[in-house]
Amino acid sequence: AMGGRLSSGVVVPEGATFWRYSPENGCAMGIRTAPQVDAELADDEFLEPGEVFYVTEELEGADGVVFLRLADGRGWTFDQKPGVGTMCVRHQHTREALEDALGRSEQRVGAIAVRSRYHRLPKKLEDDY
């Protein structure tokens, strides 16, 4: 099964793309403060392998590297590092990914608890019937 987790309560900006940090070296990666491979690192902000995240801006840089602005405001990452390999891959369609993440959460904690966070269905009282 592919790794991936969604931080709860994420508001998805219109037109955001969905990515997964899937490094060939299996290591965590420091988030950058600017769209450059050698940019300063953001304080205590990392991507863990398998983490999924939304991107609000994609900038193509030198060597074909695409820089990705994280939607949550933590900073920038990139899809590949010259001489190292793939870092981030475009995730499947957002809706499917959300359903997929929901499905995995449901297996862990039971459907009711998870779904109620996302879909606030009006609760029917027994005497409604």
Side-chain angles (χ1 to χ4, degrees):
M2 286 189 304
R5 54 199 169 91
L6 284 174
S7 40
S8 56
V10 169
V11 177
V12 185
E14 192 66 42
T17 53
F18 202 46
W19 290 74
R20 187 172 77 256
Y21 178 51
S22 189
E24 290 180 15
N25 63 10
C27 298
M29 172 186 187
I31 291 170
R32 309 304 204 257
T33 55
Q36 293 152 0
V37 171
D38 57 359
E40 200 175 320
L41 298 179
D43 288 337
D44 294 324
E45 296 290 357
F46 297 92
L47 287 174
E48 300 288 344
E51 189 169 345
V52 293
F53 54 94
Y54 289 101
V55 167
T56 48
E57 189 177 346
E58 299 178 20
L59 278 183
E60 188 153 345
D63 301 319
V65 177
V66 178
F67 293 96
L68 311 169
R69 185 197 288 268
L70 275 64
D72 59 15
R74 287 187 292 167
W76 294 81
T77 184
F78 37 87
D79 70 337
Q80 58 179 301
K81 189 170 184 176
V84 177
T86 299
M87 307 301 282
C88 298
V89 294
R90 206 177 283 276
H91 209 54
Q92 75 242 50
H93 184 266
T94 306
R95 182 75 225 162
E96 291 165 19
L98 184 58
E99 287 298 327
D100 189 42
L102 268 176
R104 272 202 302 278
S105 302
E106 282 172 8
Q107 285 161 11
R108 284 203 302 277
V109 299
I112 306 303
V114 175
R115 288 275 166 187
S116 63
R117 285 213 310 270
Y118 293 84
H119 307 288
R120 298 222 173 273
L121 296 173
K123 297 258 186 293
K124 269 202 176 292
L125 299 173
E126 283 176 26
D127 56 12
D128 281 354
Y129 292 101

